[in-house]
């Protein structure tokens, strides 16, 4: 407990250091806890628990504030071929899911790597610029949020960065301390970021997207113990949730950010119930997987369990939600992707790959995309789980695929980082001619 107490004293008394950037410096000194926080300015049709909320002009991890990974207007081709491969996107040995691509206005994507670089790539596969961070070692694993002409991303150096989309210039950087393995959530000009500190510490922050100033820091330093999980919001329920390595799902009211409850996986005290992946909010509930081998549905209002489904091994992926089918797609280290009835947890179908699933599945139209540590990206029929096609790679596919105009972007983990012979690349697939 000595290290934890020192970390809290340091954060409270000193604040994290900030890196000077073109827009000036940001600070953690005395951020307000919940001073006059207003309801977010988003689509007035939001607030329906079975609709996802995509703020205008914003693209981010899993697409929406609810983190569904659901793109109903996209289509997955019947057959695909490789359009391009960008080498050396991921070269490290960290086994966490790799970052995903996010579309840019006007075409192309931004794609981070565990090298610590953020790449802006045209639709034709040209790297326009590389945004550099100071994150050595594990680099970037979180997926950027794109808004306001900037790409916002956290890195394992504990810094949240804002890069200009047109040039890659650094607009600001704010050191939140510790490490950031999660993906920021952008809502109404603020970024919500979970930060990992040395065990057993962790903390959730709100950061002003324009300036990099910290506008809120969780006063009780929740979630504790390495929150690699990314936060999600339900406007309908007025809740924000985030998971952590301590085996708890934490919940705050939103937007005023008053702590409401925490839900314990079984048993959290053994640290075998870690919640590594992102959480999704849907139909008044939070959905997530745990290292205790279960997938959970938890009521957002009360923090009570609605159901759980036991897989054959730990689950560290995030859910993909299909509201038309009322289905949750979840992967497991038992090598399967499961389609679960969102209301009951009953299995609609299961699909077996050759190795564990770590990254999130994606729903695009009538098909589901999922990668596996067997080095394969799979396209499946959403209704039946029947395989449409597969593409084999040398590396692990743990990056959540992103479909843009019928074209598929994703990345792989280097298959043998220690050898240095084969790197992990970034890919684009298109319809086969």
């Amino acid at each position: 407990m000595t290290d934890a107490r020192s970390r809290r004293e340091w954060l409270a008394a000193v604040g994290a250091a900030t890196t000077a950037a073109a827009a000036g410096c940001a600070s953690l000194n005395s951020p307000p806890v919940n001073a006059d926080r207003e309801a977010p300015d988003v689509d007035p049709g939001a607030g329906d628990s079975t609709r996802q909320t995509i703020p205008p002009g914003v693209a981010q991890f899993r697409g929406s504030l609810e983190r569904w990974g659901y793109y109903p207007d996209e289509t997955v081709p019947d057959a695909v071929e490789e359009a391009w491969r960008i080498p050396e996107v991921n070269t490290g040995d960290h086994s966490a899911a790799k970052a995903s691509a996010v579309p840019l206005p006007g075409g192309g994507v931004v794609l981070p790597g565990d090298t610590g670089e953020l790449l802006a790539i045209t639709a034709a596969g040209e790297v326009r610029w590389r945004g550099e961070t100071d994150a050595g070692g594990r680099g970037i694993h979180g997926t950027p949020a794109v808004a306001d002409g900037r790409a916002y991303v956290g890195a394992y150096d504990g810094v949240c960065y804002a890069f200009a989309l047109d040039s890659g210039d650094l607009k600001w950087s704010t050191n939140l301390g510790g490490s950031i393995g999660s993906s920021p959530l952008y809502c109404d000009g603020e970024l919500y970021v979970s930060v990992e500190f040395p065990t057993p510490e962790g903390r959730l922050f709100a950061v002003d997207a324009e300036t990099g100033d910290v506008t809120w820091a969780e006063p009780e330093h929740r979630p504790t113990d390495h929150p690699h999980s990314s936060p999600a919001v339900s406007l309908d329920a007025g809740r924000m949730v985030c998971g952590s390595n301590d085996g708890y799902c934490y919940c705050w009211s939103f937007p005023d950010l008053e702590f409401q409850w925490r839900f314990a996986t079984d048993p959290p005290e053994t640290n075998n119930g870690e919640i590594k992946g992102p959480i999704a909010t849907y139909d008044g509930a939070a959905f997530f997987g745990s290292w205790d081998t279960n997938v959970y549905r938890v009521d957002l209002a009360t923090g009570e369990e609605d159901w759980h489904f036991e897989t054959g091994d730990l689950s560290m992926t995030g859910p993909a939600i299909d509201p038309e089918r009322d289905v949750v797609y979840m992967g497991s280290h038992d090598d399967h992707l499961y389609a679960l009835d969102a209301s009951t947890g009953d299995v609609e179908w299961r699909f077996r790959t050759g190795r564990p699933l770590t990254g999130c599945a994606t729903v695009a139209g009538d098909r589901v995309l999922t990668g596996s540590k067997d080095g394969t990206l799979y396209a499946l029929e959403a209704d039946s789980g029947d395989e449409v096609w597969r593409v084999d790679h040398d590396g692990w596919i743990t990056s959540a695929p992103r479909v843009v105009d019928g074209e598929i972007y994703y990345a792989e983990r280097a298959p043998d980082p220690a050898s240095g012979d084969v790197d992990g690349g970034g890919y684009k697939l298109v319809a086969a001619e």
Side-chain angles (χ1 to χ4, degrees), residues 24-406:
C25 297
S27 173
L28 281 186
N29 292 332
S30 302
V33 174
N34 59 355
D36 301 323
R37 302 186 68 84
E38 298 180 354
D41 182 16
V42 295
D43 179 0
D48 181 341
S49 66
T50 58
R51 286 183 55 190
Q52 63 179 346
T53 310
I54 302 176
V58 179
Q60 56 189 324
F61 183 51
R62 314 300 287 146
S64 64
L65 299 183
E66 297 83 4
R67 306 286 202 191
W68 285 2
Y70 173 65
Y71 308 95
D73 298 327
E74 292 289 353
T75 58
V76 172
D78 293 333
V80 292
E81 61 186 14
E82 183 181 309
W84 47 252
R85 180 185 191 272
I86 306 295
E88 297 184 354
V89 173
N90 295 308
T91 60
D93 60 1
H94 190 38
S95 59
K98 300 302 180 183
S100 303
V102 176
L104 290 170
V109 296
V110 285
L111 177 63
D114 65 15
T115 58
E117 291 185 323
L118 177 65
L119 282 64
I121 309 170
T122 68
E126 176 188 356
V127 178
R128 290 179 45 234
W129 51 258
R130 295 175 181 264
E132 296 184 358
T133 71
D134 294 324
R138 295 180 174 180
I140 304 173
H141 281 72
T143 298
V146 172
D148 311 325
R150 297 173 178 176
Y152 305 97
V153 70
Y156 266 91
D157 58 359
V159 177
C160 189
Y161 295 87
F163 295 98
L165 294 183
D166 58 356
S167 63
D169 291 343
L170 182 64
K171 306 305 290 184
W172 55 255
S173 59
T174 299
N175 190 337
L176 298 176
S179 305
I180 303 174
S182 64
S183 303
L185 182 76
Y186 181 100
C187 181
D188 198 25
E190 286 191 298
L191 303 164
Y192 299 91
V193 187
S194 57
V195 180
E196 308 172 29
F197 295 118
T199 303
E201 285 294 297
R203 203 175 192 186
L204 190 65
F205 292 90
V207 177
D208 186 288
E210 175 63 27
T211 64
D213 293 335
V214 172
T215 58
W216 176 80
E218 218 293 333
E220 297 300 321
H221 295 249
R222 289 179 286 239
T224 61
D225 194 6
H226 286 63
H228 191 84
S229 179
S230 300
V233 161
S234 168
L235 295 182
D236 175 70
R239 293 288 189 263
M240 174 178 283
V241 287
C242 188
S244 184
N245 280 16
D246 61 9
Y248 289 96
C249 173
Y250 292 83
C251 179
W252 296 261
S253 57
F254 189 83
D256 56 329
L257 300 176
E258 294 284 357
F259 183 69
Q260 298 298 306
W261 50 258
R262 67 176 187 173
F263 171 84
T265 59
D266 184 31
E269 64 274 7
T270 66
N271 286 328
N272 291 330
E274 299 177 9
I275 303 171
K276 291 279 192 181
I279 297 176
T281 62
Y282 167 69
D283 193 25
F287 295 83
F288 55 92
S290 168
W291 278 30
D292 69 1
T293 76
N294 291 306
V295 176
Y296 289 94
R297 173 180 170 136
V298 174
D299 188 279
L300 285 170
T302 65
E304 298 294 324
E305 179 183 318
D306 292 329
W307 55 252
H308 71 270
F309 169 76
E310 185 173 1
T311 71
D313 204 333
L314 62 87
S315 179
M316 62 187 297
T317 70
I321 306 289
D322 186 334
E324 295 299 318
R325 296 172 175 82
D326 195 37
V327 168
V328 180
Y329 301 94
M330 281 290 295
S332 169
H333 265 51
D334 69 3
D335 306 346
H336 286 86
L337 180 71
Y338 294 91
L340 305 176
D341 184 294
S343 299
T344 65
D346 294 338
V347 178
E348 301 283 336
W349 54 256
R350 69 189 73 198
F351 177 83
R352 184 167 190 168
T353 72
R355 288 199 65 198
L357 282 69
T358 302
C360 303
T362 295
V363 183
D366 293 330
R367 288 172 176 164
V368 180
L369 297 171
T370 188
S372 169
K373 285 187 175 181
D374 66 6
T376 304
L377 179 71
Y378 298 89
L380 312 174
E381 296 289 359
D383 285 327
S384 64
D386 292 339
E387 182 177 317
V388 180
W389 50 255
R390 65 173 66 188
V391 176
D392 296 325
H393 305 74
D394 290 325
W396 299 353
I397 309 303
T398 62
S399 164
R402 186 68 181 254
V403 185
V404 183
D405 297 330

